[in-house]
Amino acid sequence: MNTKTILIVDDEPRTRQGLKKNLDTWANGNYQIITASNGEEAIQLMKENKVHILITDIRMPEITGLELLKIAKELNIFPVIIVISAYSEFEYAQEALRLGVINYLLKPISKKALIEAVEEAVKEVKKKQRVGLIEKVVDTKLVDANTQNPSNREPIREAIDYINNNLKNELTQKEVADHVHLNPSYLSSLFKEHVKLTFSEYVTRRRIQRAKELLMTTNLPINDIAEESGYKTAKYFIKIFRELEGVTPSAYRKNNNEKAF
């Protein structure tokens, strides 16, 4: 399910329903808007649902909004947070900011202020997911390959760019050597010296990284992902993927699937 969830927590039924009504209209079915009347209910909902944006009142009986944020943090639940309050005391705002709140809205909240705050939160969610995606697909050996000795490596930089732009194609060492006007065996030794990977190791790792990106951000069938990553058959692609990642492409997708917000 791709729908992202926004949780509204407020002990005042009128405020809670008013916020939900405004956000339902704005969301137009693109987001799931759920509500909780107290902190305990909110915690339960966050355990059961992946909450992307949390909008919570500060002053609530039993568990306050700030206590709710602390509990969420302890549970390793990190939604993008908007705090609402009828109180403008500075210490509340200060504490809220320390707990990672991106916006602090004072009651009564205008529809315009609410939507602006939520749209800003949506951007923050997208940013967090992009960072998460990069962390998941990053191959440290490829990162190292791109930060090795910057001197005397113009042909290698050109070779890497050519490989990265032609992953879908067959890509032979001779073809890349011709492109950078070097003898294939000289390119091979230069590549190994600067990139710390052989030519074929680099191509394989780069193709598998491309496959991981596609597995996590698209619904393309495995056959198509194999082709997009430069593999002629899905069977061979699955074999190489499993050797490098320890799981099949399908299992990787199931474990890591993160859709864009």
Side-chain angles (χ1 to χ4, degrees), residues 6-73:
I6 299 173
L7 170 61
I8 300 163
V9 191
D10 198 305
D11 60 313
E12 296 173 10
R14 209 164 157 190
T15 305
R16 192 169 65 245
Q17 292 311 316
L19 293 171
K20 184 179 188 314
K21 189 181 173 188
N22 283 336
L23 287 183
D24 276 333
T25 305
W26 164 82
N28 196 27
N30 293 317
Y31 307 96
Q32 180 187 16
I33 317 295
I34 58 175
T35 65
S37 58
N38 56 58
E40 200 174 320
E41 195 184 332
I43 291 158
Q44 194 55 42
L45 282 169
M46 285 195 283
K47 284 179 180 176
E48 293 166 2
N49 302 270
K50 165 78 173 166
V51 171
H52 298 83
I53 298 172
L54 170 65
I55 304 171
T56 182
D57 192 11
I58 283 269
R59 281 283 183 100
M60 293 186 292
E62 294 170 25
I63 298 173
T64 69
L66 294 179
E67 284 166 350
L68 171 62
L69 302 188
K70 286 173 186 168
I71 293 166
K73 208 171 183 180

Side-chain angles (χ1 to χ4, degrees), residues 134 136 168 195:
I134 290 163
K136 282 175 183 171
K168 195 176 173 180
V195 180

